[in-house]
Structure formats: C-alpha cells, structure tokens
C-alpha cells in the first residue's frame, strides 16, 4: 500500500508526547499506517524491568511521561535499525547531544525516499562552524529534513491543552503540508513557514534565554527584569540567526517558534527551573548535579547550547555583540556570578 509508515526516533518527555499526538492522527488519517513505531533507548528500571517492555505492556512511558496513555498503536522498539527500516516518515526527537551518534548508526539503514522532521532544539559546533541538527540529519543520511518547533511544554500537550507550533521547510511545500497533516490537531495548531534555519534557530537559542530567565528568578529580581531579559534575548536570537543565515525572515520570530516559545520556556521550562536552582545556590552546585537531581533522566539543552553559541561567537569575533548569550555561558561555567546576568546587558 502507499500509506506512510511513521517512526519516532526518541522517547523522552517530548518524544513520548509527540508519539501520542502522531498516533492519534495516524488512526484517523487514511494515508498513514495505524502503527507508529517509537525507538526507545533501552534502559533497565529500578525494579529490574526493561523500559521498552514496560511501555508495550502498559502503553505508558513510566519513566519520562508517567500517567499518560500513548495510544495502543504506539509500539516501542529498542532496536534502532529495526525501528526505522520500513519507515517513510522519520520524526527525530532526542536530546541534541545524542544525534551525531544516532545518525552514524543510521547510515545505510533507512529507506532512500524517507522524509525526516526534527523536533530537536540544539546544534552542533564543528571546526567549520555551527551545524543545525536538521542539517546533520540531512547530510549524514542524504534525506530531506524539515523542523517543528514551538511553545510546546510537553507535559501540557500530554494533557491535550491547546497550543501552537511552527513547521519550517526548505522548498517543498507539499512535504511541509504532509508534516502539518501528521501533527495538526484541534489542540495542536501547526502552521508552516519557508524558513528552516529561522525556525530551528528560534527553538535552539531560546533555551539560552531560558537559562538567563531562570537566573533572574533565582535572584528574585521580579517580572520587569525577567521581561527585559526575554526582550534582549529575543533581540539577540534574531541578530544571531540573521548573521548566520541572511535568509532568515523577521516574521519567523512572531510565529509560535519565536516569541511564544520564549514566553512559555521562560515561565515553565526545565532550563528555567534548573537555572533558578543554580542561582539560588549562588553557583555553588553544578548544572550536571542539578539536572540529575531535578529532572530524573530528562536532559537540559540550554547549558550546552550556551557553550556552543559561545564558541561560534568567539571564533567569529562577535562576543561583544551578544552580551546576554556570552554572559549565560560565563555564568554556567563558573567564571561569573549569576548576578552578572543583569549587569552585562545594561
Ligand atoms: P528528555 O529531556 O526527556 O531526555 C531523555 C531522553 O534521552 C530519554 O528518551 C533517554 O532514553 C534519552 N537518552 C539518554 N541517554 C541517551 C543516549 N546515550 N543515547 C540516546 N538517547 C539517550 O527528552 P525530550 O524531552 O524528548 O527532548 C528531546 C528534544 O525535544 C530536545 O531537543 C528538547 O529541547 C526538545 N523539546 C522538549 C520539550 C519538552 O517539553 N520536554 C518541548 C519541546 C522540545
Ligand atoms: P525546556 O527544555 O526548558 O523544558 O523547554 C521545553 C520547550 O522547548 C518548550 O517549547
């Protein structure tokens, strides 16, 4: 048949919610196979059971999304190659630091005509310069890759509360429309814009701003200060994106992936939460410790993204142009105290 088979590569907090959303649509839409495969990075739970087996028995990701049924048509698969083998549509959603290794393992293992989309917020920095995750996927696997980003705190979407998202695509509107079809839902309204780099950089860079907002919360500086940090952060996001890719559109920053994601992440995200704790402890506890303690296996993207952005800025001689981005990294790495976040952007 010519029904599309979808595989979700990743099964963390957002990965599990994305699988649930897609599975609900796949059941309703005749042009998709009912079954949605979800690759699970296998782990043994504290009771000795395997996570993938528990997901298939209970229909719940008990570790990363407890209490939420994924839908009976979600099948957890711990074998990466097997999970992607028959897929026409690949949805990538893992913490960004694991994608290079995953891509290496997938070379030669996927269908040639497969289409991909990345829900991953983050980037890699190489000798040659920054590499967005959708580009990594595209180049390593030789396939087209769209992105989906937005104001999307996974636990809220799991409860089917209304939100919006943005698909970024390169040239092919038909493929973008296919992704919109797969994700769009009455509680999840998706629009597509022809600006892959802009959408992906919004999703990536807002995590750095969220760390800054968390510092402000930890220092109890109040709402005006936090709003100022969000505004300055958004301005740096736009300037940085346009310096890297002159094609980036101003209007992208007004989509869900831009201003809306800044707001939700700075109010309710994990990066914000851990950065608040970091500032409360006066920088005396590391982010690695706080992440392990507060997030139970979920991963922060903002701290490593701040380092990656810093490397790009330093390499290109742009550090002074981006005081907020620069200072976030200097605070995370212990070179400046959390209070520097407001001092340096004045
Ligand atoms: P997560 O933060 O829950 O991370 C945990 C996942 O990482 C688990 O599936 C775990 O198995 C996996 N993992 C751990 N070690 C691994 C390894 N060595 N190799 C491969 N996988 C390993 O993940 P998430 O929330 O699904 O986030 C994925 C991406 O989605 C990130 O880029 C994040 O920024 C983005 N995102 C998250 C949310 C959210 O609210 N959680 C919302 C929007 C976007
Ligand atoms: P955190 O990773 O900071 O929780 O942000 C989630 C997110 O990307 C919301 O859109």
């Amino acid at each position: 048949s010519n029904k599309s088979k979808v595989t979700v590569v990743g099964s963390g907090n957002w990965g599990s919610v994305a699988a649930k959303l897609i599975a609900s649509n796949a059941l309703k839409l005749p042009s998709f196979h009912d079954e949605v495969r979800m690759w699970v990075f296998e782990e043994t739970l504290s009771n000795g059971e395997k996570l993938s087996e528990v997901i298939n028995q209970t229909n719940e990701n008990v570790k990363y999304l407890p209490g939420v049924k994924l839908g009976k048509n979600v099948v957890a698969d711990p074998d990466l190659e097997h999970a992607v083998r028959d897929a026409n549509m690949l949805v990538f959603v893992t913490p960004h630091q694991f994608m290079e290794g995953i891509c290496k393992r997938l070379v030669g293992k996927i269908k040639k005509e497969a289409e991909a989309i990345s829900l991953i917020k983050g980037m890699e920095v190489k000798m040659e310069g920054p590499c967005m995750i959708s580009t990594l996927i595209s180049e390593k696997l030789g396939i087209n890759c769209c992105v989906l980003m937005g104001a999307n705190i996974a636990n809220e979407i799991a409860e089917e509360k209304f939100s919006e998202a943005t698909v970024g695509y390169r040239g092919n509107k038909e493929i973008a429309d296919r992704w919109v079809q797969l994700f769009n839902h009455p509680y999840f309204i998706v629009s597509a814009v022809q600006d892959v780099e802009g959408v992906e950089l919004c999703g990536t860079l807002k995590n750095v701003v969220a760390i800054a907002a968390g510092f402000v919360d930890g220092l109890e500086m109040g709402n005006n200060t936090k709003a100022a940090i969000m505004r300055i952060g958004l301005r740096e996001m736009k300037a940085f994106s346009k310096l890297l890719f002159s094609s980036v559109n101003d209007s992208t920053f007004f989509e869900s992936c831009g201003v809306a994601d800044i707001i939700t992440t700075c109010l309710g995200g994990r990066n914000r939460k851990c950065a608040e704790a970091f500032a409360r402890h006066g920088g005396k506890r590391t982010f690695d410790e706080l992440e392990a303690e507060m997030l139970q296996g979920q991963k922060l993207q903002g701290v490593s993204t701040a380092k990656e952005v810093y490397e790009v800025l330093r390499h290109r001689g742009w550090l002074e142009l981006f005081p907020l981005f620069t200072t976030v990294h200097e605070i995370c790495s212990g070179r400046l105290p959390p209070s520097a976040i407001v001092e340096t952007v004045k």
Side-chain angles (χ1 to χ4, degrees), residues 13-14 119 121 149-154 157 203 206-207 210-211 256 260-262 264-266 268-273 295 298-302:
N13 187 233
W14 182 216
L119 277 52
K121 295 173 177 175
M149 308 276 145
N152 300 144
I153 293 197
I157 300 170
K206 66 88 192 170
N207 283 333
I211 299 273
S256 178
D261 200 7
I262 277 280
T264 200
T265 311
C266 291
R270 302 167 298 182
N271 286 288
R272 186 219 67 82
K273 184 177 169 184
L295 300 185
Q298 294 182 35
K299 300 284 181 198
L300 287 181
Q301 308 292 291

mmCIF file of all heavy atoms in Angstrom, residues 13-14 119 121 149-154 157 203 206-207 210-211 256 260-262 264-266 268-273 295 298-302, ligand 2:
data_model
loop_
_atom_site.group_PDB
_atom_site.id
_atom_site.type_symbol
_atom_site.label_atom_id
_atom_site.label_comp_id
_atom_site.label_asym_id
_atom_site.label_seq_id
_atom_site.Cartn_x
_atom_site.Cartn_y
_atom_site.Cartn_z
ATOM 1 N N ASN A 13 10.632 12.856 27.216
ATOM 2 C CA ASN A 13 9.415 13.559 27.609
ATOM 3 C C ASN A 13 8.646 14.060 26.381
ATOM 4 O O ASN A 13 7.467 13.722 26.177
ATOM 5 C CB ASN A 13 9.839 14.696 28.545
ATOM 6 C CG ASN A 13 8.703 15.436 29.193
ATOM 7 O OD1 ASN A 13 8.636 16.659 29.112
ATOM 8 N ND2 ASN A 13 7.804 14.738 29.865
ATOM 9 N N TRP A 14 9.306 14.817 25.524
ATOM 10 C CA TRP A 14 8.642 15.337 24.316
ATOM 11 C C TRP A 14 8.484 14.219 23.275
ATOM 12 O O TRP A 14 7.463 14.142 22.589
ATOM 13 C CB TRP A 14 9.431 16.518 23.771
ATOM 14 C CG TRP A 14 8.933 17.253 22.548
ATOM 15 C CD1 TRP A 14 9.742 17.782 21.581
ATOM 16 C CD2 TRP A 14 7.588 17.604 22.161
ATOM 17 N NE1 TRP A 14 8.982 18.432 20.627
ATOM 18 C CE2 TRP A 14 7.658 18.332 20.962
ATOM 19 C CE3 TRP A 14 6.335 17.362 22.725
ATOM 20 C CZ2 TRP A 14 6.529 18.819 20.297
ATOM 21 C CZ3 TRP A 14 5.193 17.846 22.064
ATOM 22 C CH2 TRP A 14 5.307 18.565 20.873
ATOM 23 N N LEU A 119 12.419 17.591 15.729
ATOM 24 C CA LEU A 119 11.781 18.354 16.810
ATOM 25 C C LEU A 119 12.825 18.748 17.856
ATOM 26 O O LEU A 119 12.494 19.147 18.972
ATOM 27 C CB LEU A 119 10.696 17.488 17.482
ATOM 28 C CG LEU A 119 9.308 17.427 16.831
ATOM 29 C CD1 LEU A 119 9.359 17.080 15.362
ATOM 30 C CD2 LEU A 119 8.407 16.436 17.567
ATOM 31 N N LYS A 121 15.785 20.704 19.693
ATOM 32 C CA LYS A 121 16.255 22.068 19.906
ATOM 33 C C LYS A 121 17.713 22.013 20.320
ATOM 34 O O LYS A 121 18.028 21.556 21.411
ATOM 35 C CB LYS A 121 15.369 22.766 20.950
ATOM 36 C CG LYS A 121 13.922 22.935 20.437
ATOM 37 C CD LYS A 121 12.930 23.471 21.456
ATOM 38 C CE LYS A 121 11.556 23.667 20.793
ATOM 39 N NZ LYS A 121 10.508 24.064 21.751
ATOM 40 N N MET A 149 9.017 23.299 15.642
ATOM 41 C CA MET A 149 9.372 23.943 16.909
ATOM 42 C C MET A 149 8.159 24.750 17.376
ATOM 43 O O MET A 149 7.301 25.097 16.564
ATOM 44 C CB MET A 149 10.541 24.926 16.706
ATOM 45 C CG MET A 149 11.774 24.376 16.008
ATOM 46 S SD MET A 149 12.879 23.515 17.131
ATOM 47 C CE MET A 149 13.474 22.217 16.044
ATOM 48 N N GLY A 150 8.137 25.124 18.636
ATOM 49 C CA GLY A 150 7.028 25.964 19.082
ATOM 50 C C GLY A 150 6.977 26.055 20.590
ATOM 51 O O GLY A 150 7.822 25.501 21.287
ATOM 52 N N ALA A 151 5.960 26.774 21.068
ATOM 53 C CA ALA A 151 5.736 26.919 22.505
ATOM 54 C C ALA A 151 5.045 25.653 22.991
ATOM 55 O O ALA A 151 3.819 25.579 23.054
ATOM 56 C CB ALA A 151 4.882 28.151 22.773
ATOM 57 N N ASN A 152 5.844 24.643 23.287
ATOM 58 C CA ASN A 152 5.326 23.289 23.444
ATOM 59 C C ASN A 152 5.906 22.567 24.648
ATOM 60 O O ASN A 152 6.694 21.619 24.498
ATOM 61 C CB ASN A 152 5.633 22.458 22.175
ATOM 62 C CG ASN A 152 5.005 23.032 20.913
ATOM 63 O OD1 ASN A 152 5.597 22.969 19.850
ATOM 64 N ND2 ASN A 152 3.808 23.587 21.028
ATOM 65 N N ILE A 153 5.546 22.975 25.834
ATOM 66 C CA ILE A 153 5.966 22.220 27.009
ATOM 67 C C ILE A 153 5.231 20.880 26.970
ATOM 68 O O ILE A 153 3.992 20.837 26.958
ATOM 69 C CB ILE A 153 5.685 23.028 28.287
ATOM 70 C CG1 ILE A 153 6.616 24.251 28.246
ATOM 71 C CG2 ILE A 153 5.848 22.164 29.540
ATOM 72 C CD1 ILE A 153 6.838 24.995 29.483
ATOM 73 N N ALA A 154 6.023 19.823 26.890
ATOM 74 C CA ALA A 154 5.463 18.506 26.574
ATOM 75 C C ALA A 154 4.357 18.072 27.537
ATOM 76 O O ALA A 154 3.316 17.560 27.101
ATOM 77 C CB ALA A 154 6.588 17.473 26.546
ATOM 78 N N ILE A 157 0.982 19.458 26.618
ATOM 79 C CA ILE A 157 0.412 18.873 25.400
ATOM 80 C C ILE A 157 -0.089 17.461 25.690
ATOM 81 O O ILE A 157 -1.106 17.022 25.143
ATOM 82 C CB ILE A 157 1.455 18.909 24.265
ATOM 83 C CG1 ILE A 157 1.837 20.372 24.002
ATOM 84 C CG2 ILE A 157 0.915 18.254 22.995
ATOM 85 C CD1 ILE A 157 3.004 20.556 23.084
ATOM 86 N N GLY A 203 14.116 27.777 18.112
ATOM 87 C CA GLY A 203 13.965 26.694 19.084
ATOM 88 C C GLY A 203 15.248 26.428 19.856
ATOM 89 O O GLY A 203 15.227 26.103 21.046
ATOM 90 N N LYS A 206 16.383 29.881 22.149
ATOM 91 C CA LYS A 206 15.525 30.268 23.285
ATOM 92 C C LYS A 206 15.917 29.527 24.560
ATOM 93 O O LYS A 206 15.654 30.009 25.665
ATOM 94 C CB LYS A 206 14.040 30.112 22.947
ATOM 95 C CG LYS A 206 13.564 28.682 22.713
ATOM 96 C CD LYS A 206 13.124 27.985 23.971
ATOM 97 C CE LYS A 206 12.950 26.500 23.710
ATOM 98 N NZ LYS A 206 12.743 25.731 24.935
ATOM 99 N N ASN A 207 16.556 28.372 24.432
ATOM 100 C CA ASN A 207 16.989 27.648 25.634
ATOM 101 C C ASN A 207 18.075 28.411 26.394
ATOM 102 O O ASN A 207 18.183 28.286 27.612
ATOM 103 C CB ASN A 207 17.471 26.239 25.268
ATOM 104 C CG ASN A 207 16.313 25.293 24.987
ATOM 105 O OD1 ASN A 207 15.214 25.471 25.509
ATOM 106 N ND2 ASN A 207 16.551 24.294 24.155
ATOM 107 N N ALA A 210 16.234 31.074 28.264
ATOM 108 C CA ALA A 210 15.529 30.468 29.405
ATOM 109 C C ALA A 210 16.453 30.300 30.606
ATOM 110 O O ALA A 210 16.018 30.448 31.758
ATOM 111 C CB ALA A 210 14.945 29.115 29.001
ATOM 112 N N ILE A 211 17.712 29.998 30.353
ATOM 113 C CA ILE A 211 18.682 29.904 31.459
ATOM 114 C C ILE A 211 18.830 31.280 32.121
ATOM 115 O O ILE A 211 18.802 31.393 33.351
ATOM 116 C CB ILE A 211 20.062 29.419 30.931
ATOM 117 C CG1 ILE A 211 19.954 28.032 30.288
ATOM 118 C CG2 ILE A 211 21.122 29.474 32.033
ATOM 119 C CD1 ILE A 211 20.081 26.860 31.199
ATOM 120 N N SER A 256 4.882 30.793 16.511
ATOM 121 C CA SER A 256 4.949 30.084 17.791
ATOM 122 C C SER A 256 6.391 29.760 18.186
ATOM 123 O O SER A 256 6.775 29.858 19.356
ATOM 124 C CB SER A 256 4.137 28.794 17.722
ATOM 125 O OG SER A 256 4.238 28.102 18.949
ATOM 126 N N ALA A 260 6.497 33.122 21.213
ATOM 127 C CA ALA A 260 5.665 32.277 22.091
ATOM 128 C C ALA A 260 6.508 31.249 22.842
ATOM 129 O O ALA A 260 6.273 30.974 24.024
ATOM 130 C CB ALA A 260 4.574 31.588 21.275
ATOM 131 N N ASP A 261 7.496 30.676 22.166
ATOM 132 C CA ASP A 261 8.338 29.684 22.858
ATOM 133 C C ASP A 261 9.218 30.356 23.913
ATOM 134 O O ASP A 261 9.446 29.794 24.987
ATOM 135 C CB ASP A 261 9.184 28.896 21.840
ATOM 136 C CG ASP A 261 9.680 27.563 22.401
ATOM 137 O OD1 ASP A 261 9.257 27.185 23.516
ATOM 138 O OD2 ASP A 261 10.490 26.899 21.732
ATOM 139 N N ILE A 262 9.689 31.572 23.611
ATOM 140 C CA ILE A 262 10.445 32.314 24.631
ATOM 141 C C ILE A 262 9.586 32.455 25.897
ATOM 142 O O ILE A 262 10.034 32.179 27.007
ATOM 143 C CB ILE A 262 10.787 33.745 24.112
ATOM 144 C CG1 ILE A 262 12.024 33.700 23.252
ATOM 145 C CG2 ILE A 262 11.007 34.711 25.251
ATOM 146 C CD1 ILE A 262 13.307 33.653 24.037
ATOM 147 N N THR A 264 6.813 30.786 27.009
ATOM 148 C CA THR A 264 6.467 29.578 27.772
ATOM 149 C C THR A 264 7.702 28.959 28.430
ATOM 150 O O THR A 264 7.646 28.503 29.574
ATOM 151 C CB THR A 264 5.693 28.549 26.911
ATOM 152 O OG1 THR A 264 5.013 27.662 27.795
ATOM 153 C CG2 THR A 264 6.578 27.732 25.980
ATOM 154 N N THR A 265 8.832 28.956 27.713
ATOM 155 C CA THR A 265 10.027 28.329 28.296
ATOM 156 C C THR A 265 10.558 29.135 29.472
ATOM 157 O O THR A 265 11.039 28.569 30.449
ATOM 158 C CB THR A 265 11.128 28.161 27.236
ATOM 159 O OG1 THR A 265 10.561 27.573 26.081
ATOM 160 C CG2 THR A 265 12.223 27.257 27.726
ATOM 161 N N CYS A 266 10.478 30.463 29.362
ATOM 162 C CA CYS A 266 10.961 31.306 30.465
ATOM 163 C C CYS A 266 10.001 31.285 31.654
ATOM 164 O O CYS A 266 10.366 31.669 32.765
ATOM 165 C CB CYS A 266 11.206 32.738 29.980
ATOM 166 S SG CYS A 266 12.611 32.860 28.854
ATOM 167 N N GLY A 268 7.845 28.307 32.292
ATOM 168 C CA GLY A 268 7.585 26.957 32.817
ATOM 169 C C GLY A 268 8.518 25.850 32.387
ATOM 170 O O GLY A 268 8.211 24.678 32.617
ATOM 171 N N GLY A 269 9.652 26.169 31.792
ATOM 172 C CA GLY A 269 10.509 25.117 31.243
ATOM 173 C C GLY A 269 11.514 24.544 32.238
ATOM 174 O O GLY A 269 11.695 25.057 33.342
ATOM 175 N N ARG A 270 12.170 23.471 31.800
ATOM 176 C CA ARG A 270 13.161 22.779 32.630
ATOM 177 C C ARG A 270 14.462 23.570 32.721
ATOM 178 O O ARG A 270 15.120 23.583 33.772
ATOM 179 C CB ARG A 270 13.443 21.381 32.040
ATOM 180 C CG ARG A 270 12.196 20.531 31.940
ATOM 181 C CD ARG A 270 12.413 19.293 31.088
ATOM 182 N NE ARG A 270 12.761 19.638 29.716
ATOM 183 C CZ ARG A 270 12.971 18.739 28.744
ATOM 184 N NH1 ARG A 270 12.869 17.447 29.004
ATOM 185 N NH2 ARG A 270 13.285 19.144 27.535
ATOM 186 N N ASN A 271 14.840 24.238 31.623
ATOM 187 C CA ASN A 271 16.051 25.075 31.658
ATOM 188 C C ASN A 271 15.898 26.184 32.686
ATOM 189 O O ASN A 271 16.807 26.470 33.464
ATOM 190 C CB ASN A 271 16.317 25.667 30.264
ATOM 191 C CG ASN A 271 16.861 24.634 29.287
ATOM 192 O OD1 ASN A 271 18.007 24.213 29.397
ATOM 193 N ND2 ASN A 271 16.028 24.202 28.361
ATOM 194 N N ARG A 272 14.730 26.820 32.669
ATOM 195 C CA ARG A 272 14.429 27.871 33.646
ATOM 196 C C ARG A 272 14.520 27.345 35.072
ATOM 197 O O ARG A 272 15.130 27.953 35.950
ATOM 198 C CB ARG A 272 13.015 28.435 33.385
ATOM 199 C CG ARG A 272 12.656 29.625 34.247
ATOM 200 C CD ARG A 272 11.211 29.615 34.724
ATOM 201 N NE ARG A 272 10.937 28.520 35.655
ATOM 202 C CZ ARG A 272 11.217 28.550 36.954
ATOM 203 N NH1 ARG A 272 11.772 29.615 37.520
ATOM 204 N NH2 ARG A 272 10.954 27.502 37.723
ATOM 205 N N LYS A 273 13.916 26.181 35.271
ATOM 206 C CA LYS A 273 13.835 25.591 36.612
ATOM 207 C C LYS A 273 15.231 25.299 37.189
ATOM 208 O O LYS A 273 15.527 25.649 38.333
ATOM 209 C CB LYS A 273 13.022 24.302 36.501
ATOM 210 C CG LYS A 273 12.743 23.585 37.777
ATOM 211 C CD LYS A 273 11.859 22.360 37.478
ATOM 212 C CE LYS A 273 11.781 21.455 38.679
ATOM 213 N NZ LYS A 273 11.022 20.231 38.369
ATOM 214 N N LEU A 295 15.647 16.503 37.339
ATOM 215 C CA LEU A 295 14.944 16.103 36.102
ATOM 216 C C LEU A 295 14.803 14.592 35.906
ATOM 217 O O LEU A 295 14.193 14.154 34.921
ATOM 218 C CB LEU A 295 15.628 16.725 34.873
ATOM 219 C CG LEU A 295 15.694 18.248 34.812
ATOM 220 C CD1 LEU A 295 16.297 18.696 33.478
ATOM 221 C CD2 LEU A 295 14.329 18.906 35.000
ATOM 222 N N GLN A 298 15.634 13.277 32.427
ATOM 223 C CA GLN A 298 15.413 14.224 31.326
ATOM 224 C C GLN A 298 16.653 15.115 31.216
ATOM 225 O O GLN A 298 17.417 15.254 32.166
ATOM 226 C CB GLN A 298 14.152 15.058 31.565
ATOM 227 C CG GLN A 298 12.885 14.214 31.521
ATOM 228 C CD GLN A 298 11.615 15.038 31.697
ATOM 229 O OE1 GLN A 298 11.523 16.169 31.256
ATOM 230 N NE2 GLN A 298 10.635 14.448 32.354
ATOM 231 N N LYS A 299 16.815 15.716 30.020
ATOM 232 C CA LYS A 299 18.060 16.417 29.739
ATOM 233 C C LYS A 299 17.844 17.895 29.446
ATOM 234 O O LYS A 299 16.915 18.270 28.734
ATOM 235 C CB LYS A 299 18.737 15.792 28.511
ATOM 236 C CG LYS A 299 19.076 14.313 28.674
ATOM 237 C CD LYS A 299 20.292 14.145 29.556
ATOM 238 C CE LYS A 299 20.663 12.678 29.699
ATOM 239 N NZ LYS A 299 21.527 12.436 30.848
ATOM 240 N N LEU A 300 18.768 18.715 29.971
ATOM 241 C CA LEU A 300 18.773 20.146 29.660
ATOM 242 C C LEU A 300 19.481 20.373 28.334
ATOM 243 O O LEU A 300 20.481 19.713 28.060
ATOM 244 C CB LEU A 300 19.597 20.902 30.708
ATOM 245 C CG LEU A 300 19.037 21.085 32.090
ATOM 246 C CD1 LEU A 300 20.051 21.885 32.915
ATOM 247 C CD2 LEU A 300 17.716 21.824 32.019
ATOM 248 N N GLN A 301 18.998 21.316 27.552
ATOM 249 C CA GLN A 301 19.678 21.660 26.303
ATOM 250 C C GLN A 301 20.374 23.022 26.396
ATOM 251 O O GLN A 301 21.307 23.307 25.653
ATOM 252 C CB GLN A 301 18.679 21.692 25.149
ATOM 253 C CG GLN A 301 17.836 20.436 25.018
ATOM 254 C CD GLN A 301 18.630 19.227 24.592
ATOM 255 O OE1 GLN A 301 19.105 19.134 23.469
ATOM 256 N NE2 GLN A 301 18.817 18.307 25.532
ATOM 257 N N GLY A 302 19.917 23.871 27.302
ATOM 258 C CA GLY A 302 20.369 25.266 27.306
ATOM 259 C C GLY A 302 21.827 25.474 27.681
ATOM 260 O O GLY A 302 22.499 26.348 27.129
HETATM 261 P P1 LIG B 2 12.668 23.098 28.425
HETATM 262 O O1 LIG B 2 13.599 22.083 27.769
HETATM 263 O O2 LIG B 2 13.397 24.243 29.052
HETATM 264 O O3 LIG B 2 11.710 22.429 29.367
HETATM 265 O O4 LIG B 2 11.794 23.714 27.253
HETATM 266 C C1 LIG B 2 10.816 22.942 26.644
HETATM 267 C C2 LIG B 2 10.410 23.559 25.352
HETATM 268 O O5 LIG B 2 11.176 23.541 24.407
HETATM 269 C C3 LIG B 2 9.082 24.187 25.269
HETATM 270 O O6 LIG B 2 8.761 24.586 23.970
#
